[in-house]
Every structure is written in structure tokens, then in C-alpha cells.
Amino acid sequence: MSELVIKDLHVTVETDDGIKEILRGVDLTITSGQTHAIMGPNGSGKSTLAYAVAGHPKYTIPSGSVTLDGADVLDMSVDERAKAGLFLAMQYPVEIPGVSVSNFLRSSLTALRGEAPKLREWIKEMNAAMKEIGMDQAFSERNVNEGFSGGEKKRHEILQLELMKPKIAILDETDSGLDVDALRIVSEGINRTVERNNTGVLLITHYTRILRYVKPDKVSVFVDGRVVATGGQELAEELEANGYVKFSKATAGA
């Protein structure tokens, strides 16, 4: 059982107009085998939360704490966070020219496991995972995300997730830009990871459509850099019906 605990997290970023506070005291707990969905309007700070926890140097954390199984995440380098069991699926996956998908994945697993997977076993493991996520095996020899469609990039993120088996996965708008078929396949990959590997998932999204396939244990509403409400699936259904206006007004009047 693993647990990512975020307490009173404040995050700032430097802009042309000076220091801007984006997160204003976030409290969240993500536990093994559970999916916690974070929903909120554009500019509410959802992606900032993801990147700050992952260790992006753009963001400064003046106060608050992030721990994984009691260890101080904020004292770790980016690669140490990954080795400790944190995984980030980015909203806009980057291209890596000159590095094949197969080499990228095998190198990543070597870093995580401390030794390289045996080649024959690795090929079998990778091909089985690619088949489940609906990726042609020819993609293994292509450069990472180079020339991939939006849906192919997101499938590749889920392929990484399934092979790396992290303790906690932060998925930043994994449903963005997906058609109906790709959304279903990506969602099935998320569900498999939770069920097979007991991974805890923090699923960041604008929309409820992915929650038709990935049933969250908890749903939190994010507005103006804070969690303003937490509930179950019924909260997602309320947002589907009424949007964020109620929560935005309540925050503005606080």
C-alpha cells in the first residue's frame, strides 16, 4: 500500500509581471489501487499541480509538503521521484528524435529496476503490452512520438504506464484530443494499471467523458488554485449537468 500525501501546497511561478501564486494551499491524498479525479476550469492550477509534484524547475514551492510513503518528495531530484514510484503522463507529450520507442522504454525500465531486462523477455513483454493498448508493433522502432498522432502519443503514454508499474501515476488530461475509440482504449489501459499493479491514479481532466470508462473513487473540484469540493461519482455527474459556475461563484465570494 502506497500513499502520496500533499499538504497545504503553495506554488508560484515567475512571470513578466512578477511572482504569481498559482496553487494556494492544496491538500490531497492519493492511495494505491484508487483513482482520484481532479476536475476544474482552464487556468485553475490542475496542470501546475502535476508538474510541481513531478519536479518541473519552472515552479517554486514556498511552502507545503509532498510525501510518498513518508519520504519527502520535494527533496528528490526528478529522476529520484521516478525511481521512488512517481509517474507523470504529460498533456502534451514531447518528441525525442533519434531515440526509438523500444530503446526509450528499455532504458527507462533499466533505470527503474537497476538492471536491463533480458532482451528476449523484454521484446515479449513490450509486444504484449503494445497489443493490449492497440499499438502496432512497428511503432517500437519509430522515434519517440515523432510523427505520432495525438491519439498515438497518448497510447504511448499509457504503454509507458503499464510497463513501468509506478506506485502513483499523475495523468494530466490524458483524454485531451482523443476520439471515442482511442478514449476507450486509453481508459482500459488506466483501469488495467490500477487493477493489476495496484497503482494509485491522480486523473486530471476538464470533462466527464473519460469518467464513463474510468470510474473514480473520489472526485475533487479545483478552482483558483484550491480544492473547493470533494465527493464521489455523483460530483462528476453534477459537474456534467451544471458546470463549474456554482463552485467558481462560491470561491469568488469567499
Side-chain angles (χ1 to χ4, degrees), residues 16-73:
D16 292 339
D17 298 320
I19 301 298
K20 179 180 179 182
E21 186 177 36
I22 302 178
L23 300 189
R24 306 167 185 270
V26 175
D27 295 292
L28 281 172
T29 299
I30 300 91
T31 304
S32 291
Q34 293 190 349
T35 298
H36 193 140
I38 296 287
M39 304 185 69
N42 282 328
S44 59
K46 302 185 304 299
S47 292
T48 294
L49 174 65
Y51 287 102
V53 171
H56 196 297
K58 173 182 177 180
Y59 301 102
T60 299
I61 300 175
S63 62
S65 65
V66 181
T67 60
L68 177 59
D69 298 337
D72 188 348
V73 170

Side-chain angles (χ1 to χ4, degrees), residues 82-157:
K83 290 176 182 177
L86 281 178
F87 176 92
L88 172 65
M90 295 181 286
Q91 183 178 354
Y92 303 107
V94 298
E95 296 181 3
I96 308 178
V99 180
S100 72
V101 166
S102 178
N103 285 338
F104 170 76
L105 292 172
R106 190 164 185 249
S107 296
S108 299
L109 286 181
T110 298
L112 290 174
R113 297 176 182 177
E115 61 180 4
K118 293 181 179 179
L119 189 57
R120 182 176 296 179
E121 294 175 1
W122 160 244
I123 292 173
K124 183 178 179 181
E125 182 181 5
M126 180 182 65
N127 287 345
M130 292 185 78
K131 183 177 181 180
E132 282 196 310
I133 203 66
M135 288 186 75
D136 192 301
Q137 291 178 8
F139 276 87
S140 67
E141 299 308 315
R142 291 178 59 177
N143 292 337
V144 173
N145 292 327
E146 199 170 49
F148 286 23
S149 68
E152 288 163 350
K153 288 179 180 179
K154 295 304 176 75
R155 291 190 196 198
H156 181 222
E157 293 271 69

